[in-house]
Coordinates of all heavy atoms in Angstrom, one line a residue:
M290 N 107.8 74.9 130.3 CA 107.3 75.9 131.2 C 106.5 76.9 130.5 O 106.9 77.6 129.4 CB 108.4 76.5 132.0 CG 108.1 77.9 132.7 SD 107.4 77.5 134.4 CE 106.7 79.0 134.8
T291 N 105.3 77.2 131.0 CA 104.5 78.3 130.4 C 104.4 79.4 131.4 O 104.4 79.2 132.6 CB 103.1 77.9 129.9 OG1 102.4 77.4 131.1 CG2 103.1 76.9 128.7
V292 N 104.2 80.6 131.1 CA 104.2 81.9 131.7 C 102.8 82.5 131.6 O 102.4 82.6 130.4 CB 105.3 82.8 131.3 CG1 105.2 84.2 132.1 CG2 106.7 82.1 131.5
K293 N 102.1 82.9 132.6 CA 100.9 83.5 132.5 C 101.0 85.0 132.3 O 101.8 85.6 133.0 CB 100.0 83.3 133.7 CG 98.6 83.7 133.6 CD 97.8 83.4 134.8 CE 97.7 84.7 135.6 NZ 96.9 84.7 136.9
V294 N 100.4 85.6 131.2 CA 100.5 87.0 130.8 C 99.1 87.5 130.7 O 98.3 86.9 130.1 CB 101.2 87.1 129.6 CG1 101.4 88.7 129.2 CG2 102.7 86.6 129.6
T295 N 98.9 88.7 131.3 CA 97.6 89.4 131.1 C 97.8 90.7 130.3 O 98.7 91.5 130.6 CB 96.9 89.7 132.4 OG1 96.6 88.6 133.1 CG2 95.7 90.5 132.4
W296 N 97.0 90.8 129.4 CA 97.0 92.1 128.5 C 95.6 92.9 128.9 O 94.6 92.3 128.8 CB 97.0 91.9 127.0 CG 98.3 91.3 126.5 CD1 99.2 92.0 125.8 CD2 98.6 89.8 126.4 NE1 100.2 91.1 125.4 CE2 99.9 89.8 125.7 CE3 98.0 88.7 126.8 CZ2 100.6 88.7 125.5 CZ3 98.7 87.5 126.6 CH2 100.0 87.5 125.9
K297 N 95.9 94.1 129.3 CA 94.8 95.0 129.6 C 94.5 95.9 128.4 O 95.4 96.7 127.9 CB 95.0 95.9 130.8 CG 95.1 95.1 132.0 CD 95.2 96.0 133.3 CE 95.1 95.2 134.6 NZ 95.1 96.0 135.7
L298 N 93.3 95.8 127.8 CA 93.0 96.7 126.6 C 92.4 98.0 127.0 O 91.9 98.1 128.2 CB 91.9 95.8 125.8 CG 92.4 94.5 125.5 CD1 91.3 93.7 124.7 CD2 93.8 94.4 124.8
P299 N 92.4 99.0 126.0 CA 92.0 100.3 126.4 C 90.5 100.3 126.9 O 90.1 101.2 127.6 CB 92.1 101.1 125.0 CG 93.1 100.2 124.2 CD 93.0 98.8 124.7
D300 N 89.7 99.4 126.4 CA 88.3 99.3 126.8 C 88.1 98.7 128.3 O 86.9 98.6 128.6 CB 87.4 98.7 125.8 CG 87.5 97.2 125.5 OD1 88.4 96.6 126.4 OD2 86.9 96.6 124.8
G301 N 89.2 98.3 128.9 CA 89.1 97.7 130.2 C 89.0 96.2 130.1 O 89.1 95.6 131.3
T302 N 88.8 95.6 128.9 CA 88.9 94.1 128.8 C 90.3 93.6 129.3 O 91.3 94.4 128.9 CB 88.5 93.7 127.4 OG1 87.4 94.4 127.0 CG2 88.2 92.2 127.2
E303 N 90.3 92.5 129.7 CA 91.5 91.8 130.0 C 91.7 90.4 129.3 O 90.5 89.7 129.2 CB 91.8 91.5 131.5 CG 91.9 92.9 132.3 CD 92.3 92.6 133.7 OE1 92.6 91.5 134.1 OE2 92.3 93.7 134.4
I304 N 92.8 90.2 128.7 CA 93.1 88.9 128.0 C 94.2 88.2 128.7 O 95.2 88.8 128.9 CB 93.4 89.1 126.5 CG1 92.2 89.6 125.8 CG2 93.8 87.7 125.9 CD1 92.3 89.9 124.3
T305 N 93.9 87.1 129.3 CA 95.0 86.3 130.0 C 95.3 85.0 129.2 O 94.3 84.4 128.9 CB 94.7 86.0 131.4 OG1 94.5 87.2 132.1 CG2 95.8 85.2 132.2
G306 N 96.6 84.8 129.0 CA 96.9 83.5 128.2 C 98.5 83.1 128.6 O 99.0 83.8 129.3
A307 N 98.7 82.1 128.1 CA 99.9 81.4 128.3 C 101.0 81.9 127.3 O 100.6 81.9 126.1 CB 99.9 80.0 128.5
A308 N 102.2 82.0 127.6 CA 103.3 82.1 126.7 C 104.3 81.2 127.1 O 104.5 80.9 128.2 CB 104.0 83.6 126.9
E309 N 105.0 80.5 126.0 CA 106.0 79.6 126.2 C 107.2 80.3 126.6 O 107.6 81.3 126.2 CB 106.3 78.8 125.0 CG 105.2 77.9 124.5 CD 104.9 76.8 125.5 OE1 105.9 76.3 126.1 OE2 103.6 76.4 125.6
A310 N 108.0 79.7 127.7 CA 109.3 80.3 128.0 C 110.2 80.4 126.8 O 110.2 79.5 126.0 CB 109.9 79.5 129.1
G311 N 110.7 81.6 126.5 CA 111.6 81.8 125.5 C 110.8 82.5 124.3 O 111.5 83.0 123.4
Q312 N 109.5 82.4 124.3 CA 108.7 83.1 123.3 C 108.7 84.5 123.6 O 108.6 84.9 124.8 CB 107.3 82.5 123.3 CG 106.3 83.0 122.2 CD 105.0 82.5 122.4 OE1 104.3 82.2 123.5 NE2 104.3 82.2 121.3
N313 N 108.7 85.4 122.5 CA 108.6 86.7 122.8 C 107.1 87.2 123.0 O 106.2 86.5 122.5 CB 109.3 87.7 121.9 CG 108.6 87.9 120.4 OD1 107.5 88.3 120.4 ND2 109.3 87.5 119.4
L314 N 106.8 88.3 123.6 CA 105.5 88.6 124.0 C 104.6 89.3 122.9 O 103.5 89.4 123.0 CB 105.5 89.4 125.4 CG 106.1 88.6 126.5 CD1 106.0 89.5 127.7 CD2 105.4 87.4 126.7
M315 N 105.3 89.6 121.9 CA 104.5 90.1 120.7 C 103.9 88.7 120.0 O 102.7 88.8 119.7 CB 105.4 90.7 119.6 CG 104.7 91.1 118.2 SD 104.8 89.7 117.1 CE 106.6 89.7 116.5
Q316 N 104.8 87.7 119.9 CA 104.2 86.4 119.4 C 103.1 85.9 120.2 O 102.1 85.4 119.8 CB 105.4 85.4 119.3 CG 106.4 85.7 118.3 CD 107.7 84.9 118.4 OE1 108.0 84.4 119.5 NE2 108.2 84.6 117.3
A317 N 103.3 85.9 121.6 CA 102.2 85.6 122.5 C 100.9 86.3 122.3 O 99.8 85.7 122.3 CB 102.7 85.6 124.0
A318 N 101.1 87.6 122.2 CA 99.9 88.4 121.9 C 99.1 88.1 120.6 O 97.9 87.9 120.7 CB 100.3 89.9 121.9
L319 N 99.9 87.7 119.6 CA 99.2 87.4 118.4 C 98.6 86.0 118.6 O 97.4 85.8 118.1 CB 100.3 87.2 117.2 CG 101.0 88.5 116.7 CD1 101.8 88.2 115.5 CD2 100.0 89.6 116.6
A320 N 99.2 85.2 119.4 CA 98.6 83.8 119.5 C 97.3 83.8 120.3 O 96.4 83.0 120.1 CB 99.6 83.0 120.3
H321 N 97.1 85.0 121.1 CA 95.8 85.1 121.8 C 95.0 86.1 121.2 O 94.0 86.7 121.9 CB 96.2 85.4 123.3 CG 96.9 84.2 124.1 ND1 96.3 83.1 124.3 CD2 98.3 84.1 124.3 CE1 97.2 82.2 124.8 NE2 98.4 82.8 125.0
D322 N 95.2 86.6 120.0 CA 94.5 87.5 119.3 C 94.2 88.8 120.0 O 93.1 89.4 120.3 CB 93.0 86.9 118.9 CG 93.2 85.9 117.9 OD1 94.0 86.0 117.0 OD2 92.4 84.8 118.0
V323 N 95.3 89.4 120.6 CA 95.1 90.6 121.4 C 95.1 91.8 120.6 O 96.0 92.1 119.8 CB 96.3 90.8 122.4 CG1 96.3 92.2 123.1 CG2 96.5 89.6 123.4
P324 N 94.0 92.5 120.5 CA 93.9 93.6 119.5 C 94.8 94.7 119.9 O 95.1 94.9 121.1 CB 92.4 94.1 119.7 CG 91.8 93.3 120.8 CD 92.8 92.3 121.3
G325 N 95.3 95.4 118.9 CA 96.2 96.5 119.2 C 97.8 96.0 119.2 O 98.5 97.0 119.2
V326 N 98.1 94.8 119.3 CA 99.4 94.3 119.1 C 99.5 93.7 117.7 O 98.9 92.7 117.4 CB 99.8 93.4 120.2 CG1 101.3 92.9 120.0 CG2 99.7 94.0 121.5
I327 N 100.2 94.4 116.9 CA 100.2 94.0 115.4 C 101.3 93.1 115.0 O 101.4 92.1 114.4 CB 100.2 95.2 114.5 CG1 99.1 96.3 114.9 CG2 99.9 94.8 113.1 CD1 97.7 95.9 114.8
G328 N 102.6 93.7 115.5 CA 103.8 92.9 115.2 C 104.2 92.8 113.8 O 104.6 91.8 113.2
E329 N 104.0 93.9 113.1 CA 104.1 94.0 111.6 C 105.5 93.6 111.0 O 105.5 93.0 110.0 CB 103.9 95.5 111.2 CG 103.5 95.7 109.8 CD 103.1 97.2 109.6 OE1 101.9 97.5 110.0 OE2 103.9 98.0 109.1
C330 N 106.5 93.8 111.8 CA 107.9 93.5 111.2 C 108.3 92.1 111.7 O 109.4 91.6 111.3 CB 108.9 94.6 111.7 SG 109.3 94.4 113.4
G331 N 107.5 91.5 112.4 CA 107.7 90.0 112.7 C 108.8 90.0 113.8 O 109.4 88.9 114.1
G332 N 109.1 91.0 114.5 CA 109.9 91.0 115.7 C 111.4 91.5 115.4 O 112.3 91.1 116.1
T333 N 111.4 92.1 114.2 CA 112.9 92.5 113.8 C 113.2 94.0 114.2 O 114.1 94.6 113.7 CB 113.1 92.3 112.3 OG1 112.1 93.1 111.6 CG2 113.0 90.9 112.0
L334 N 112.4 94.5 115.2 CA 112.7 95.9 115.7 C 112.6 96.9 114.6 O 113.4 97.8 114.7 CB 114.1 95.9 116.4 CG 114.1 95.9 117.9 CD1 115.5 96.1 118.3 CD2 113.1 96.9 118.5
S335 N 111.7 96.8 113.7 CA 111.6 97.9 112.7 C 110.2 98.3 112.4 O 109.9 99.1 111.4 CB 112.2 97.4 111.5 OG 111.6 96.2 111.1
C336 N 109.2 98.2 113.5 CA 108.0 98.7 113.2 C 107.3 99.5 114.4 O 106.5 100.4 114.3 CB 107.0 97.6 112.7 SG 106.4 96.4 114.0
A337 N 107.5 99.0 115.7 CA 106.9 99.6 116.8 C 105.5 99.3 117.0 O 104.9 99.9 117.8 CB 107.3 101.0 117.0
T338 N 104.9 98.4 116.1 CA 103.5 98.1 116.2 C 103.2 97.1 117.3 O 102.1 96.6 117.5 CB 102.9 97.6 114.9 OG1 103.6 96.4 114.5 CG2 103.0 98.6 113.8
C339 N 104.2 96.8 118.0 CA 104.1 95.8 119.2 C 104.1 96.5 120.5 O 104.5 95.9 121.5 CB 105.1 94.6 119.2 SG 106.8 95.3 119.2
H340 N 104.1 97.9 120.4 CA 104.3 98.7 121.6 C 103.2 98.4 122.8 O 102.1 98.2 122.6 CB 104.1 100.2 121.3 CG 104.1 101.1 122.3 ND1 103.3 102.3 122.4 CD2 104.9 101.2 123.4 CE1 103.5 103.0 123.4 NE2 104.5 102.3 124.2
V341 N 103.7 98.2 123.9 CA 102.8 98.0 125.1 C 103.5 98.9 126.3 O 104.7 99.3 126.3 CB 102.8 96.5 125.5 CG1 102.0 95.7 124.5 CG2 104.2 96.0 125.9
H342 N 102.6 99.0 127.3 CA 103.1 99.6 128.6 C 103.2 98.5 129.6 O 102.4 97.6 129.6 CB 102.2 100.6 129.1 CG 102.0 101.8 128.0 ND1 103.0 102.7 128.0 CD2 101.0 102.3 127.3 CE1 102.5 103.6 127.1 NE2 101.4 103.3 126.7
V343 N 104.2 98.4 130.3 CA 104.5 97.4 131.3 C 103.8 97.9 132.6 O 104.0 99.1 133.1 CB 106.0 97.2 131.6 CG1 106.2 96.2 132.7 CG2 106.5 96.5 130.2
A344 N 103.1 97.1 133.3 CA 102.5 97.6 134.5 C 103.6 97.9 135.5 O 104.6 97.2 135.5 CB 101.6 96.5 135.1
P345 N 103.4 99.0 136.2 CA 104.6 99.5 137.0 C 105.2 98.5 138.0 O 106.4 98.4 138.2 CB 103.8 100.6 137.9 CG 102.6 101.0 137.1 CD 102.3 99.9 136.3
E346 N 104.4 97.6 138.6 CA 104.9 96.5 139.5 C 105.8 95.6 138.7 O 106.5 94.8 139.4 CB 103.8 95.8 140.2 CG 102.7 95.2 139.4 CD 101.7 95.8 138.9 OE1 101.7 97.1 138.6 OE2 100.5 95.3 138.7
W347 N 105.8 95.6 137.4 CA 106.5 94.6 136.6 C 107.7 95.3 135.9 O 108.4 94.6 135.2 CB 105.7 93.9 135.7 CG 104.8 92.9 136.2 CD1 103.5 93.0 136.6 CD2 105.2 91.6 136.7 NE1 102.9 91.9 137.2 CE2 104.0 90.9 137.3 CE3 106.3 90.8 136.5 CZ2 104.0 89.6 137.7 CZ3 106.4 89.5 137.0 CH2 105.3 88.9 137.7
A348 N 107.9 96.6 136.1 CA 108.8 97.3 135.4 C 110.3 96.8 135.6 O 111.1 96.6 134.8 CB 108.9 98.8 135.8
E349 N 110.6 96.4 137.0 CA 111.9 95.9 137.2 C 112.2 94.5 136.6 O 113.2 94.3 136.1 CB 112.1 95.9 138.7 CG 113.5 95.9 139.1 CD 113.7 95.9 140.6 OE1 112.8 96.6 141.3 OE2 114.6 95.3 141.2
A350 N 111.2 93.7 136.8 CA 111.4 92.4 136.1 C 111.6 92.4 134.6 O 112.4 91.6 134.1 CB 110.3 91.5 136.5
C351 N 110.9 93.3 134.0 CA 111.0 93.4 132.5 C 112.3 94.0 132.1 O 112.8 93.8 130.9 CB 109.8 94.2 131.9 SG 108.4 93.2 131.7
G352 N 112.7 95.0 132.9 CA 114.0 95.6 132.6 C 113.8 96.8 131.6 O 112.6 97.0 131.1
A353 N 114.9 97.6 131.3 CA 114.7 98.8 130.5 C 115.1 98.3 129.0 O 115.8 97.3 128.8 CB 115.8 99.7 130.9
P354 N 114.5 99.1 128.0 CA 114.8 98.7 126.5 C 116.3 98.9 126.3 O 117.0 99.9 126.9 CB 114.1 99.8 125.8 CG 113.5 100.8 126.8 CD 113.6 100.2 128.2
E355 N 116.9 98.2 125.4 CA 118.2 98.4 124.8 C 118.2 99.7 124.0 O 117.2 100.2 123.7 CB 118.6 97.2 124.0 CG 118.5 95.8 124.6 CD 119.7 95.5 125.2 OE1 120.9 96.1 124.9 OE2 119.7 94.7 126.2
D356 N 119.4 100.1 123.7 CA 119.4 101.4 122.9 C 118.7 101.5 121.7 O 118.0 102.4 121.3 CB 120.9 101.8 122.6 CG 121.7 102.1 123.8 OD1 121.0 102.4 124.8 OD2 122.9 102.3 123.7
F357 N 118.8 100.4 120.8 CA 118.0 100.4 119.6 C 116.5 100.4 119.8 O 115.7 101.1 119.0 CB 118.5 99.2 118.6 CG 118.1 99.5 117.3 CD1 118.5 100.5 116.5 CD2 117.1 98.6 116.7 CE1 118.1 100.6 115.1 CE2 116.7 98.8 115.3 CZ 117.2 99.8 114.6
E358 N 116.0 99.6 120.7 CA 114.6 99.4 121.1 C 114.1 100.9 121.5 O 113.1 101.3 121.2 CB 114.3 98.5 122.2 CG 112.8 98.3 122.5 CD 112.6 97.5 123.6 OE1 113.5 96.6 124.0 OE2 111.5 97.5 124.3
D359 N 115.0 101.5 122.3 CA 114.7 102.8 122.9 C 114.4 103.8 121.7 O 113.5 104.6 121.7 CB 115.9 103.3 123.7 CG 115.5 104.4 124.5 OD1 114.5 104.5 125.2 OD2 116.2 105.5 124.3
A360 N 115.4 103.7 120.6 CA 115.3 104.6 119.6 C 113.8 104.3 118.8 O 113.1 105.2 118.3 CB 116.4 104.5 118.6
M361 N 113.7 103.1 118.6 CA 112.4 102.7 117.9 C 111.2 103.1 118.6 O 110.1 103.3 118.0 CB 112.4 101.2 117.6 CG 113.2 100.6 116.6 SD 112.9 101.3 115.0 CE 111.3 100.9 114.7
L362 N 111.1 103.1 120.0 CA 110.0 103.4 120.7 C 109.5 104.9 120.4 O 108.4 105.2 120.6 CB 110.4 103.3 122.2 CG 110.0 101.9 122.8 CD1 110.7 101.7 124.2 CD2 108.6 101.6 122.9
D363 N 110.5 105.6 119.9 CA 110.2 107.0 119.6 C 109.1 107.1 118.4 O 108.5 108.0 118.3 CB 111.4 107.9 119.2 CG 112.2 108.2 120.4 OD1 111.6 108.3 121.5 OD2 113.4 108.5 120.4
M364 N 109.0 106.0 117.7 CA 108.0 105.9 116.6 C 106.6 105.6 117.1 O 105.7 105.8 116.5 CB 108.4 104.8 115.6 CG 109.5 105.2 114.7 SD 110.0 103.8 113.7 CE 108.5 103.4 112.8
A365 N 106.6 105.2 118.4 CA 105.2 104.7 119.0 C 104.5 105.9 119.5 O 105.2 106.8 120.2 CB 105.5 103.7 120.1
D366 N 103.2 106.0 119.2 CA 102.4 107.0 119.8 C 102.3 106.7 121.2 O 102.4 105.5 121.7 CB 101.0 107.0 119.2 CG 100.9 107.4 117.8 OD1 101.8 108.1 117.4 OD2 100.1 107.0 117.1
D367 N 102.1 107.7 122.2 CA 101.8 107.5 123.5 C 102.9 106.8 124.3 O 102.8 106.1 125.2 CB 100.6 106.5 123.5 CG 99.8 106.5 124.9 OD1 100.0 107.3 125.6 OD2 99.2 105.5 125.1
R368 N 104.1 107.1 123.8 CA 105.4 106.6 124.6 C 105.5 107.1 125.9 O 105.3 108.3 126.1 CB 106.5 106.8 123.8 CG 107.8 106.3 124.4 CD 109.1 106.5 123.9 NE 110.1 105.9 124.8 CZ 111.4 105.8 124.5 NH1 111.8 106.3 123.5 NH2 112.1 105.1 125.4
D369 N 105.8 106.4 126.9 CA 106.1 106.9 128.2 C 107.2 106.1 128.9 O 107.8 105.1 128.2 CB 104.9 107.2 129.1 CG 104.1 105.9 129.5 OD1 104.9 104.8 129.6 OD2 103.1 105.9 130.0
E370 N 107.5 106.3 130.2 CA 108.6 105.6 130.7 C 108.3 104.1 131.1 O 109.2 103.2 131.3 CB 109.0 106.1 132.1 CG 108.0 106.2 133.2 CD 106.8 107.2 133.1 OE1 106.9 108.1 132.1 OE2 105.9 107.1 133.8
T371 N 107.0 103.7 130.8 CA 106.6 102.3 130.9 C 106.7 101.6 129.6 O 106.3 100.3 129.5 CB 105.3 102.1 131.5 OG1 104.3 102.6 130.6 CG2 105.2 102.9 132.8
S372 N 107.0 102.2 128.6 CA 106.9 101.7 127.2 C 108.0 100.7 127.0 O 109.1 100.8 127.2 CB 106.9 102.8 126.1 OG 105.9 103.7 126.2
R373 N 107.6 99.6 126.2 CA 108.4 98.6 125.8 C 108.0 98.1 124.3 O 106.6 98.1 124.2 CB 108.6 97.4 126.6 CG 109.3 97.5 128.0 CD 110.8 97.8 127.8 NE 111.6 96.9 126.8 CZ 112.2 95.8 127.4 NH1 112.1 95.5 128.6 NH2 112.8 95.0 126.5
L374 N 108.8 97.5 123.6 CA 108.4 96.8 122.3 C 108.3 95.4 122.8 O 109.2 94.7 123.1 CB 109.4 97.0 121.2 CG 109.4 98.5 120.6 CD1 110.4 98.7 119.6 CD2 108.1 98.9 120.2
S375 N 107.1 94.9 122.7 CA 106.8 93.5 123.2 C 107.5 92.3 122.5 O 107.8 91.3 123.1 CB 105.4 93.2 123.4 OG 104.6 93.2 122.2
C376 N 108.0 92.6 121.3 CA 108.8 91.6 120.6 C 110.2 91.4 121.3 O 110.9 90.5 121.0 CB 108.9 91.9 119.1 SG 110.0 93.3 118.6
Q377 N 110.6 92.3 122.2 CA 112.0 92.3 122.8 C 111.8 91.9 124.3 O 112.8 91.9 124.9 CB 112.5 93.8 122.8 CG 112.7 94.3 121.3 CD 113.5 93.4 120.4 OE1 114.7 93.0 120.8 NE2 112.9 92.9 119.3
I378 N 110.6 91.5 124.7 CA 110.5 90.9 126.0 C 110.2 89.4 125.9 O 109.3 89.0 125.2 CB 109.4 91.6 126.8 CG1 109.3 93.0 126.7 CG2 109.2 91.0 128.1 CD1 108.1 93.7 127.4
E379 N 111.1 88.6 126.4 CA 111.0 87.3 126.4 C 110.3 86.6 127.5 O 110.7 87.0 128.7 CB 112.4 86.7 126.1 CG 112.5 85.3 125.6 CD 114.0 84.8 125.4 OE1 114.4 85.2 124.3 OE2 114.5 84.1 126.2
A380 N 109.4 85.7 127.3 CA 108.7 85.0 128.5 C 109.7 84.2 129.3 O 110.6 83.4 128.7 CB 107.6 84.2 127.9
S381 N 109.7 84.4 130.6 CA 110.5 83.6 131.5 C 109.9 83.4 132.8 O 108.8 84.1 133.1 CB 111.9 84.2 131.6 OG 111.6 85.4 132.3
D382 N 110.3 82.4 133.5 CA 109.8 82.3 135.0 C 109.7 83.5 135.6 O 108.6 83.7 136.4 CB 110.7 81.4 135.8 CG 110.8 80.0 135.2 OD1 110.2 79.7 134.1 OD2 111.5 79.0 135.7
A383 N 110.6 84.4 135.6 CA 110.6 85.7 136.3 C 109.4 86.5 135.9 O 109.0 87.5 136.7 CB 111.9 86.4 136.2
L384 N 108.8 86.3 134.8 CA 107.7 87.1 134.3 C 106.3 86.4 134.5 O 105.3 87.0 133.9 CB 107.9 87.6 132.8 CG 109.2 88.4 132.7 CD1 109.2 88.8 131.2 CD2 109.2 89.7 133.5
D385 N 106.3 85.3 135.2 CA 105.0 84.7 135.3 C 104.0 85.6 136.1 O 104.2 86.0 137.2 CB 105.2 83.4 136.1 CG 104.0 82.5 136.1 OD1 103.2 82.5 135.1 OD2 103.8 81.7 137.0
G386 N 102.9 85.9 135.4 CA 101.9 86.8 136.0 C 102.0 88.2 135.4 O 101.1 89.0 135.8
L387 N 102.9 88.5 134.5 CA 103.2 89.7 134.0 C 101.7 90.3 133.5 O 101.0 89.7 132.9 CB 104.1 89.6 132.9 CG 104.4 90.8 132.0 CD1 105.1 91.8 132.9 CD2 105.1 90.5 130.8
V388 N 101.7 91.7 133.6 CA 100.5 92.6 133.2 C 101.2 93.5 132.3 O 102.0 94.3 132.6 CB 99.8 93.2 134.4 CG1 98.7 94.1 133.8 CG2 99.4 92.1 135.3
L389 N 100.5 93.5 131.0 CA 100.9 94.4 129.9 C 99.7 95.4 129.7 O 98.5 94.7 129.5 CB 101.4 93.8 128.7 CG 102.8 93.0 128.9 CD1 103.0 92.2 127.6 CD2 104.0 93.8 129.3
I390 N 99.9 96.6 129.4 CA 98.8 97.4 129.1 C 98.9 97.9 127.6 O 100.0 98.4 127.2 CB 98.8 98.7 129.9 CG1 98.6 98.2 131.4 CG2 97.7 99.8 129.5 CD1 99.3 99.0 132.4
V391 N 97.8 97.6 126.9 CA 97.9 97.8 125.4 C 97.5 99.3 125.1 O 96.4 99.7 125.6 CB 96.9 96.8 124.6 CG1 96.9 97.2 123.1 CG2 97.3 95.4 124.8
P392 N 98.3 100.1 124.4 CA 98.0 101.5 124.2 C 96.7 101.6 123.3 O 96.4 100.8 122.6 CB 99.1 102.1 123.5 CG 100.2 100.9 123.4 CD 99.6 99.7 123.8
D393 N 96.1 102.8 123.5 CA 94.9 103.1 122.6 C 95.4 103.3 121.4 O 96.3 104.1 121.1 CB 94.2 104.3 123.3 CG 92.7 104.3 123.1 OD1 92.2 103.5 122.3 OD2 92.0 105.1 123.7
A394 N 94.9 102.6 120.4 CA 95.4 102.7 119.0 C 95.1 104.2 118.4 O 94.1 104.7 118.6 CB 94.8 101.6 118.1
Ligands
LIG494 S1 107.2 93.5 116.0 FE1 108.1 95.2 114.9 S2 109.3 96.2 116.5 FE2 108.3 94.6 117.5

């Protein structure tokens, strides 16, 4: 099962691509060359370079960050209540059509 994900870039461009169910959305962003999602730590929750904003209509489906992710998000510029570290969001059927907003670097 693949899940459709759209990344909205700061310049207004959108990139839509597939993520495999179970794949995290930092890995999916790298697979689709989404600028601004770096994933420096490889998904081990120690860099915050995979920071994205979840579109408001998807907030509930994505859920809230766990405590450690929440603490790491403090390292991200431009953090707000829609912020998540995309390596901690796993693609699943429930997220098919998900829209993520890439922060301005
Ligand atoms: S890739 Fe480093 S915290 Fe997500």
Side-chain angles (χ1 to χ4, degrees):
M290 163 84 195
T291 58
V292 176
K293 192 179 97 174
V294 181
T295 297
W296 289 266
K297 290 188 175 184
L298 306 184
D300 68 359
T302 312
E303 296 188 3
I304 297 175
T305 297
E309 292 295 327
Q312 184 182 37
N313 76 56
L314 297 183
M315 174 276 286
Q316 292 170 328
L319 295 190
H321 295 293
D322 293 323
V323 176
V326 178
I327 314 288
E329 198 170 285
C330 76
T333 57
L334 257 190
S335 53
C336 74
T338 63
C339 62
H340 174 220
V341 293
H342 298 285
V343 174
E346 63 273 26
W347 286 98
E349 198 177 324
C351 277
E355 305 273 336
D356 288 351
F357 194 67
E358 180 186 343
D359 188 58
M361 282 303 296
L362 274 166
D363 285 337
M364 288 175 59
D366 291 336
D367 196 23
R368 180 189 180 167
D369 66 18
E370 67 283 353
T371 68
S372 291
R373 291 291 311 269
L374 294 178
S375 54
C376 68
Q377 302 302 305
I378 307 173
E379 196 172 280
S381 67
D382 295 2
L384 297 182
D385 192 29
L387 177 66
V388 177
L389 298 174
I390 298 147
V391 179
D393 212 346

